[in-house]
Amino acid sequence: MICLGNYARHLYTLAVLSTRPPKMGRPYQLKEGQSRLFHALPSGLEMEFIFQKGIQSQRYPFEESSRSVQIKEKNPPLVFVHGSFHAAWCWAEHWLPFFSRSGFDCYAVSLLGQGESDAPLGSAAGTLQTHADNVANFIAKEVRSPPVLLGHSFGGLIVQSYISDMINGQFSGSSNPKLAGAVLVCSVPPSGNSGLAWRYLFSKPVAAIKVTLSLAAKGFATFLPLFKETFFSKEMDDHLTQSYQELMKESSRMSLFDLKKLNASLPVRSVPKSSVNILIVGASNDFIVDNEGLCETAKFYGVTPICIEGVAHDIMLDCSWEKGARVILSWLDGLNGHSL
């Protein structure tokens, strides 16, 4: 579906729509206004992204149209980074349409080896550094102004690496694209997931076994009740849950990280407090990232986290997905336009 309009014609100079056969057996069906494009990385591999253009905000119905347009033009683009077993589609289901309707241009990337993106050689899709570098290259080439970078779960850890590399000037190549802000959503903390695993082992041994079976052994792909408990609320519709299970199986053709190598590279290098506009959001029913993990991340950046009640780990797909979206939208409305 090609619905980019004049505003986004610049995408065609860099990203290309592809007619190549899909890598996912059952590709995600885009919603109205969304386009699937591919960004060519310096390695020659192509990274899928789904784009949805921001439309004039309807939140100011009694103001003059020129004022609404001015507000919309000040909105930073949003770039979404998924976590393990997901791809760009997880944002396209609800949050891309929501933020697009609020006047934000939205880009959701599929990291290498995930979704419709190319897969590199090796047993893992990349390292924390290479994933952050690829996102930086994407932003430098495809996004017209400093964006807000949003990361979920292990995608949140990639965003943390991005922030560290940006502040410390450590991106590979000559580009060092700046951000207008960052949002960490149910993010793995800067020390990685080992602390989470040990806490679960001693305080919630049954939950620890379930998480291990679901994620490390990929039991989520074959056992629907375990999949639902891992990612979603009890109230989630089973038919919809099963459709997401199929998409996750298709999305994760290879592991996002080699976890042993990943843990050896952690914790993420710290940055000065207040060096980035940052929002940290957790979920009260998160089966993967506990409250201690949420607080660790918040303390690392010197901010107060927001824990949203009644939602599970996949906050952007859960049956109450609007709760997280509205919290983030309120924070975005408060940004003063400052770019790093």
Side-chain angles (χ1 to χ4, degrees), residues 15 47 57 102 151 163 166 225 288 311:
M47 190 163 68
S57 174
S102 299
I163 293 170
M166 177 184 68
I288 298 174
V311 290

Side-chain angles (χ1 to χ4, degrees), residues 25-48:
R26 299 175 64 181
Y28 177 75
Q29 297 299 309
L30 300 179
K31 297 186 177 299
E32 182 179 0
Q34 296 177 351
S35 297
R36 177 178 288 113
L37 298 101
F38 293 85
H39 170 68
L41 294 166
S43 64
L45 299 175
E46 290 189 337
M47 190 163 68
E48 173 198 23

Side-chain angles (χ1 to χ4, degrees), residues 230-272:
T230 303
F231 295 105
F232 297 107
S233 298
K234 294 179 181 178
E235 297 78 14
M236 189 76 167
D237 177 77
D238 283 344
H239 180 73
L240 186 58
T241 302
Q242 188 171 21
S243 70
Y244 293 149
Q245 182 187 40
E246 292 297 320
L247 283 167
M248 286 196 205
K249 284 193 293 187
E250 294 286 345
S251 295
S252 50
R253 302 189 309 280
M254 64 190 309
S255 298
L256 196 59
F257 298 106
D258 179 322
L259 290 181
K260 289 184 178 179
K261 293 181 179 179
L262 172 65
N263 288 328
S265 69
L266 296 172
V268 172
R269 185 175 177 181
S270 63
V271 298

Side-chain angles (χ1 to χ4, degrees), residues 152-169:
H152 174 252
S153 197
F154 267 116
L157 192 62
I158 292 170
V159 171
Q160 293 176 56
S161 180
Y162 186 109
I163 293 170
S164 177
D165 291 346
M166 177 184 68
I167 298 298
N168 295 298

Side-chain angles (χ1 to χ4, degrees), residues 39 41 47 79-81 109-111 129-143 147 149 155 158-159 162 171 177 179:
H39 170 68
L41 294 166
M47 190 163 68
V79 176
F80 298 83
V81 182
V109 301
S110 290
L111 300 166
Q129 182 70 58
T130 61
H131 286 309
D133 281 345
N134 289 341
V135 173
N137 182 266
F138 170 81
I139 290 174
K141 302 298 184 182
E142 307 288 357
V143 184
L149 188 58
I158 292 170
V159 171
Y162 186 109
F171 284 124
L179 300 178

Side-chain angles (χ1 to χ4, degrees), residues 175-195:
S175 65
N176 189 31
K178 306 301 182 182
L179 300 178
V183 182
L184 304 179
V185 183
C186 298
S187 176
V188 172
S191 62
N193 67 340
S194 56

